[in-house]
Amino acid sequence: MKLDQAIQERRSIRGFTDQPVSRDILEEVIALANRAPSSMNTQPWHLHVLTGEPLEKVRQGNTERMLGGVPPSREIEDHGAYQGEHRKRQVEIAVQLFEAMGIARDDAGRRQDWVMRGFRQFDAPVSVVVCFDRELLNNTIAHFDTGAMTYGLVLAAWSRGLGAVINGQGIMQSPVVREVANIPDDQVILTCVALGWPDDDFVANSVVSRRRPVSNTARFLGFAE
Ligand SMILES: Cc1cc2nc3c(=O)[nH]c(=O)nc-3n(C[C@H](O)[C@H](O)[C@H](O)COP(=O)(O)O)c2cc1C
């Protein structure tokens, strides 16, 4: 697949088939993701790839704690509620997803189901827990570098027909993930990527989120016209 096509067509996938994902293809995708640039080539990231029983334990622990009213526990600073334009974009994608799924505004039950689905990492067969070195916790460049690697991972997966959604929901109860996956103390959990073979019948998978145009994201200085 051409790079432009992968970038253009990739979208978050939130419904997966039961087909397992082989370790070989995951290693291939991670080797490509590892080619990401990083500040001074520090490569601060670490990936913990979960499937089967450990992933089920994470899903269960995350779900039980969320349902039990345990406040979310992340290892990076919370961004808080989005405001203004950010909030508008957040609402826009939520509306697109709910419309595709036929979930009405006032259908509290199905809305709650959708949220719980997120806490189960959309029942994906694989979860990649994305961490970075704790000694760089206050170095925002390490977050940037790890993000660059994560996008590479998602694109490399997509070009092989694998679907993914980067998601904070799956590690919302990070102590559960830390314990089950035995994450070393010198690493911080940043996010996770739910990954698997896309279920073509799951309508939310066809939702294409909107983007700001170039005229709204970039300024050009010193050009001829
Ligand atoms: C850091 C990060 C965290 C995210 N967390 C979630 C999440 O918890 N649940 C979810 O459904 N999608 C999550 N997403 C996916 C975004 O909603 C999605 O990327 C955005 O709406 C654009 O849609 P697209 O990926 O289909 O282009 C996350 C994406 C990123 C980059």
Side-chain angles (χ1 to χ4, degrees):
M1 191 185 280
K2 288 255 168 55
L3 180 63
D4 286 16
Q5 189 191 351
I7 292 175
Q8 191 64 43
E9 293 180 359
R10 183 215 58 84
R11 44 194 193 276
S12 287
I13 294 299
R14 299 181 175 87
F16 303 89
T17 69
D18 294 337
Q19 195 187 334
V21 181
S22 74
R23 182 169 166 163
D24 282 356
I25 200 168
L26 290 166
E27 288 196 10
E28 220 176 271
V29 162
I30 292 168
L32 285 166
N34 282 343
R35 294 302 308 166
S38 59
S39 172
M40 315 269 179
N41 203 23
T42 42
Q43 306 170 57
W45 51 82
H46 301 272
L47 302 176
H48 304 266
V49 188
L50 277 61
T51 193
E53 198 185 313
L55 178 52
E56 283 314 315
K57 279 192 183 156
V58 166
R59 284 197 235 281
Q60 254 177 34
N62 210 21
T63 303
E64 276 165 19
R65 284 171 60 125
M66 292 310 296
L67 281 174
V70 180
S73 179
R74 296 282 305 265
E75 297 187 353
I76 53 165
E77 219 172 293
D78 184 6
H79 55 62
Y82 285 127
Q83 311 286 340
E85 286 301 313
H86 300 137
R87 173 74 183 153
K88 266 196 223 160
R89 292 181 201 130
Q90 176 189 3
V91 170
E92 183 181 61
I93 184 62
V95 167
Q96 279 183 271
L97 288 167
F98 283 149
E99 269 177 7
M101 293 297 293
I103 303 175
R105 253 188 117 78
D106 55 358
D107 192 341
R110 287 195 64 205
R111 286 174 88 98
Q112 167 77 353
D113 281 351
W114 179 262
V115 173
M116 293 320 296
R117 212 184 143 72
F119 292 129
R120 297 197 309 272
Q121 298 191 50
F122 305 94
D123 301 321
V126 172
S127 169
V128 181
V129 180
V130 178
C131 298
F132 65 93
D133 292 313
R134 187 178 295 280
E135 65 178 289
L136 302 179
L137 180 58
N138 297 319
N139 169 341
T140 50
I141 299 294
H143 301 222
F144 175 97
D145 293 340
T146 307
M149 178 281 301
T150 306
Y151 185 39
L153 180 97
V154 165
L155 279 183
W158 185 267
S159 78
R160 282 158 179 72
L162 281 167
V165 58
I166 302 169
N167 69 99
Q169 280 176 289
I171 45 109
M172 205 54 101
Q173 297 288 348
S174 284
V176 171
V177 185
R178 178 164 285 286
E179 193 189 323
V180 173
N182 199 14
I183 309 275
D185 287 342
D186 61 358
Q187 297 178 21
V188 173
I189 301 174
L190 179 64
T191 193
C192 70
V193 182
L195 197 144
W197 301 104
D199 175 355
D200 294 334
D201 296 330
F202 190 74
V203 282
N205 285 349
S206 54
V207 167
V208 177
S209 55
R210 300 191 186 102
R211 289 297 186 276
R212 298 152 62 200
V214 174
S215 58
N216 186 251
T217 55
R219 288 174 65 230
F220 295 86
L221 294 93
F223 287 82
E225 25 48 90

